[in-house]
């Protein structure tokens, strides 16, 4: 067992943080190697045993577009969907939602962009078209009694269009909220955000009537800013964060994006701040090393290597 960092609590920060573990969906979809269903199930099982209570299980997208996520229905069939762990799946449209419901999903995520270029590159349509599709899917899922999470991509910058107006982000966030999304994940898709940028976006959203309790931050570590951005969000009261074991992932539709924030790197910082998560950092680090072996390459998490001595 690793020595945990010394704890220096700050009463101005949240006392507890929840982590949505995204390695089994957002992480694996960016990998060239497609892992078989039994390995995906073992990954999810290891993460659940480590104490993570929200774990993305996959997505119901076309296997032609994202072959790494084929057979997500089989993954759900291998999980205990009545357990205390939630297993959200990404659904891009009503067809995906219907497939997810048939497979027994209780938690779904919808995905919209805040820029035209990324909508065309990733979602296959104009910004207006893809936004309406995502909103319609969220409304249908909410009406069916499912828990709905909304992802916003390119919140902090777009590789084709550059800067993004925070007020545009606020409008998209309101649309997701009004469609029934109880959590809105703000995606730093290409990892260009800095702490001041994060603070500005969060202040704009709160000023537009979006509850800070409903916001989640999804960071990428392209410029090494992921943890600094998390800290800025903590200072504004955000208590939900996406992270990926080992830092696996990126964005297959935006070539400049690098890995997700590693779950164990996040845990190390939160532990040092005295913030509770209920997650075993040793178990996550060991899982990250195992996952790297399955994928055939080392994963970028610094904490994983330090904790396991590898």
């Amino acid at each position: 067992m690793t020595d945990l960092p010394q704890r220096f609590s700050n009463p101005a920060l949240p006392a507890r943080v929840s982590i949505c573990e995204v390695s089994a969906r957002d992480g694996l979809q960016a990998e060239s190697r497609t892992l078989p269903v039994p390995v995906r199930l073992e990954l999810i099982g290891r993460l659940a045993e480590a104490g993570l209570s929200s774990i993305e299980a996959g997505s119901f997208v076309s296997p032609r577009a994202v072959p790494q996520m084929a057979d997500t229905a089989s993954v759900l069939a291998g999980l205990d969907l009545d357990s205390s762990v939630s297993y959200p799946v990404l659904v891009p449209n009503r067809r995906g939602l219907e497939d997810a419901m048939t497979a027994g999903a209780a938690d779904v995520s919808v995905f919209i962009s805040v820029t035209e270029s990324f909508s065309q590159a990733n979602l296959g349509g104009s910004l207006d078209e893809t936004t309406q599709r995502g909103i319609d899917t969220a409304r249908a899922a909410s009406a069916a009694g499912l828990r709905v999470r909304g992802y916003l991509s390119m919140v902090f910058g777009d590789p084709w269009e550059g800067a993004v107006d925070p007020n545009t982000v606020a409008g998209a966030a309101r649309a997701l909220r009004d469609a029934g999304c109880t959590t809105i994940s703000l995606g730093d898709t290409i990892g260009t955000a800095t702490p001041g940028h994060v603070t500005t976006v969060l202040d704009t959203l709160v000023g537009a009537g979006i509850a800070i309790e409903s916001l989640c931050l999804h960071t990428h570590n392209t410029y090494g800013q992921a943890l600094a951005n998390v800290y800025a969000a903590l200072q504004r009261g955000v208590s939900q964060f996406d992270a990926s074991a080992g830092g696996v992932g990126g964005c297959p539709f935006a070539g400049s994006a690098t890995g997700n924030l590693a779950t164990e790197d996040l845990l190390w910082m939160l532990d040092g701040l005295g913030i509770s998560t209920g997650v075993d950092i040793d178990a996550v680090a060991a899982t990250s090393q195992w996952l790297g072996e399955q994928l055939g390459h080392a994963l970028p998490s610094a904490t994983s290597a330090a904790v396991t001595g590898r």
Side-chain angles (χ1 to χ4, degrees):
M1 180 176 179
T2 187
D3 294 328
L4 292 176
Q6 295 184 62
R7 291 184 171 90
F8 300 92
S9 299
N10 183 341
L13 301 180
R16 184 174 181 86
V17 155
S18 61
I19 299 171
C20 181
E21 172 59 50
V22 302
S23 58
R25 196 279 302 176
D26 188 49
L28 294 185
Q29 76 172 14
E31 289 289 322
S32 59
R33 180 179 294 185
T34 298
L35 298 184
V37 168
V39 177
R40 290 164 65 184
L41 282 169
E42 182 171 353
L43 170 61
I44 293 169
R46 284 171 173 258
L47 295 167
E49 289 176 4
L52 288 150
S53 59
S54 179
I55 305 168
E56 281 195 310
S59 61
F60 285 87
V61 299
S62 167
R64 294 186 300 277
V66 189
Q68 300 90 336
M69 291 293 102
D71 299 319
T72 290
S74 298
V75 172
L76 286 183
L79 297 172
D80 180 4
L81 300 180
D82 294 321
S83 74
S84 60
V85 179
S86 64
Y87 297 108
V89 292
L90 186 68
V91 292
N93 49 38
R94 293 287 289 270
R95 169 64 185 275
L97 173 61
E98 291 167 4
D99 290 344
M101 293 173 64
T102 298
D107 298 83
V108 298
S109 301
V110 300
F111 195 116
I112 66 174
S113 175
V114 297
T115 66
E116 181 69 44
S117 297
F118 194 65
S119 292
Q120 297 282 356
N122 185 18
L123 302 178
S126 72
L127 180 60
D128 287 344
E129 291 168 343
T130 59
T131 297
Q132 191 59 53
R133 186 165 67 213
I135 295 303
D136 288 346
T137 304
R139 286 177 178 151
S142 181
L146 277 64
R147 292 180 291 269
V148 190
R149 197 170 197 264
Y151 278 106
L152 285 177
S153 65
M154 296 298 170
V155 166
F156 299 95
D158 179 287
W160 301 280
E161 298 181 23
V164 173
D165 185 350
N167 290 301
T168 299
V169 178
R174 280 197 303 265
L176 287 174
R177 179 201 61 190
D178 294 346
C181 294
T182 56
T183 297
I184 301 167
S185 179
L186 306 175
D188 183 17
T189 313
I190 56 173
T192 58
T194 57
H197 194 173
V198 169
T199 297
T200 296
V201 169
L202 291 173
D203 288 350
T204 301
L205 266 62
V206 170
I210 306 298
I212 197 71
E213 294 80 11
S214 70
L215 296 176
C216 174
L217 186 64
H218 182 115
T219 59
H220 285 228
N221 207 34
T222 311
Y223 292 89
Q225 300 293 294
L227 284 174
N229 291 335
V230 167
Y231 192 76
L234 287 168
Q235 290 178 308
R236 281 297 190 267
V238 174
S239 60
Q240 300 182 72
F241 297 91
D242 293 344
S244 177
V248 66
C251 179
F253 304 99
S256 59
T258 59
N260 286 301
L261 170 61
T263 305
E264 55 270 47
D265 292 354
L266 175 61
L267 289 170
W268 185 267
M269 186 180 81
L270 294 175
D271 282 342
L273 291 168
I275 295 174
S276 174
T277 63
V279 182
D280 183 338
I281 190 172
D282 292 283
V284 175
T287 296
S288 296
Q289 294 294 327
W290 170 86
L291 178 58
E293 294 168 0
Q294 307 308 307
L295 293 170
H297 64 84
L299 299 182
S301 167
T303 301
S304 174
V307 166
T308 62
R310 302 163 92 179

